[in-house]
């Protein structure tokens, strides 16, 4: 089976879900959570099917730049939908559904770079899974910080939009942000540890930048969490540190992949 049909189906469902949610919020009413979840799960089903066909290679995993972006977006949306069962984070889906649609289409239609398939050794696969979960959880934290920044700005200027009026209280939004940060930091710690255990050389030429930048990101998030615990950091300071750590993490993974696959062709 060719991945074109599931890719298009996933993109259409993501677009439909985002449009429905956006229209409901602009009308200052909450979307039906069950309908939104159903659309999201169906989109994830087709997204996952498309990824399975694109990632599978006779020599290993074809985890090129756009496939990796699509896989992380799929993981982020899945984690958010699961979180919606317990905590009020469905507003994040308004940002994540378009991201899922864009990445699944990019993986299908944009040319891939030069990359060697990844050996499917269990230890390597565990490292990849932990990395994807860490990136996914910290991506959710970044989107949460963006919504928190928007909410804080509109409340201070006393012009809350329909979107903001459907948000939980500011304190709850901030607590959710640090919950995601703690989970993402712990997963990132496990990812770095598994890399040290299962990769032959973390500082090999093709891994050095990724290792160094990921370690810096780990330190940034650790300082932020320490500052929250010991100094009560919150608001704009917490958001700035979150964005700084996330930028380092994305440079570590996508920056190195972009250079290797599309510039150096290695």
């Amino acid at each position: 089976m060719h991945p074109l049909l599931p890719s298009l189906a996933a993109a259409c469902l993501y677009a439909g879900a985002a449009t429905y949610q956006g229209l409901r919020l602009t009308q200052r009413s909450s979307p039906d959570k069950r309908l939104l979840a159903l659309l999201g799960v169906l989109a994830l089903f087709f997204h996952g099917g498309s990824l399975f066909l694109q990632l599978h290679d006779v020599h290993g995993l074809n985890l090129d730049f756009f496939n990796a972006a699509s896989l992380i977006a799929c993981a982020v949306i899945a984690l958010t939908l699961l979180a919606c069962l317990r905590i009020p984070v469905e507003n994040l889906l308004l940002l994540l559904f378009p991201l899922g649609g864009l990445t699944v289409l990019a993986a299908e239609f944009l040319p891939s770079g030069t990359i060697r398939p990844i050996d499917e050794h269990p230890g390597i696969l565990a490292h990849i899974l932990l990395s994807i979960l860490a990136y996914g959880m910290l991506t959710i934290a970044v989107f949460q910080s963006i919504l928190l920044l928007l909410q804080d700005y509109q409340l201070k200027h006393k012009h809350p939009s329909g979107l903001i009026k459907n948000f939980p209280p500011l304190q709850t939004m901030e607590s959710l942000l640090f919950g995601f940060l703690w989970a993402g930091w712990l997963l990132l710690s496990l990812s770095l540890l598994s890399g040290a255990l299962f990769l032959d050389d973390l500082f090999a030429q093709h891994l050095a930048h990724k290792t160094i930048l990921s370690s810096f990101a780990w330190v940034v998030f650790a300082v932020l969490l320490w500052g929250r615990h010991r100094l009560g950091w919150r608001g704009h300071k917490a958001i700035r540190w979150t964005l700084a750590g996330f930028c380092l993490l994305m440079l570590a993974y996508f920056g190195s992949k972009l250079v290797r696959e599309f510039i150096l062709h290695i």
Side-chain angles (χ1 to χ4, degrees):
M1 181 179 178
H2 196 276
L4 176 63
L5 288 178
S7 296
L8 292 176
C12 289
L13 285 164
Y14 281 135
T19 301
Y20 165 70
Q21 188 178 16
L23 287 174
R24 294 292 291 175
L25 291 174
T26 54
Q27 295 168 359
R28 298 178 181 268
S29 59
S30 299
D32 186 320
K33 292 184 180 181
R34 288 175 296 180
L35 176 58
L36 195 63
L38 176 62
L39 291 172
V41 169
L42 286 174
L44 273 179
F45 173 78
F46 287 107
H47 194 164
S50 172
L51 276 169
F52 177 81
L53 295 169
Q54 290 164 336
L55 292 174
H56 188 264
D57 188 280
V58 292
H59 302 293
L61 288 178
N62 179 24
L63 203 60
D64 64 27
F65 182 87
F66 294 113
N67 281 348
S70 180
L71 180 58
I72 291 174
C74 187
V76 170
I77 294 168
L79 289 170
T80 305
L81 286 172
L82 286 173
C84 286
L85 297 174
R86 298 293 300 272
I87 53 179
V89 292
E90 55 274 0
N91 287 306
L92 287 170
L93 295 171
L94 186 62
L95 302 176
L96 295 176
F97 282 152
L99 177 68
L102 288 173
T103 56
V104 74
L105 291 176
E108 176 61 34
F109 292 109
L110 295 183
S112 61
T114 304
I115 186 173
R116 290 172 293 182
I118 297 171
D119 179 21
E120 296 186 23
H121 183 276
I124 302 297
L125 292 178
H127 170 67
I128 291 171
L129 176 61
L130 286 168
S131 298
I132 289 171
L133 290 174
Y135 296 149
M137 193 62 69
L138 291 169
T139 300
I140 295 172
V142 166
F143 281 116
Q144 179 75 4
S145 71
I146 292 171
L147 292 180
L148 181 62
L149 185 65
L150 178 63
Q151 183 181 23
D152 181 63
Y153 175 84
Q154 293 204 359
L155 289 175
K156 283 182 177 178
H157 290 77
K158 299 180 180 178
H159 293 298
S161 63
L163 174 64
I164 297 300
K165 286 190 173 182
N166 284 281
F167 280 13
L170 199 63
Q171 187 175 0
T172 302
M173 290 282 287
E174 199 167 74
S175 297
L176 290 173
L177 169 62
F178 280 94
F180 291 136
L181 286 171
W182 270 110
W185 181 76
L186 290 173
L187 286 166
L188 182 58
S189 303
L190 292 174
S191 170
L192 292 171
L193 179 61
S194 64
L197 290 174
F198 298 117
L199 296 176
D200 293 331
D201 183 5
L202 274 175
F203 293 94
Q205 183 179 3
H206 65 290
L207 291 174
H209 289 84
K210 180 181 177 181
T211 302
I212 293 170
L213 288 171
S214 296
S215 299
F216 279 140
W218 184 91
V219 171
V220 168
F221 287 121
V223 171
L224 170 57
L225 293 170
W226 174 85
R228 169 70 169 185
H229 178 68
R230 300 290 297 179
L231 305 175
W233 287 0
R234 54 181 302 177
H236 286 246
K237 178 174 286 189
I239 292 169
R240 286 195 296 268
W241 279 81
T242 301
L243 293 175
F246 181 76
C247 287
L248 284 170
L249 201 59
M250 290 301 100
L251 279 174
Y253 190 71
F254 288 109
S256 62
K257 286 185 75 68
L258 181 65
V259 171
R260 288 177 56 212
E261 294 180 27
F262 293 97
I263 299 176
L264 300 179
H265 301 289
I266 58 175

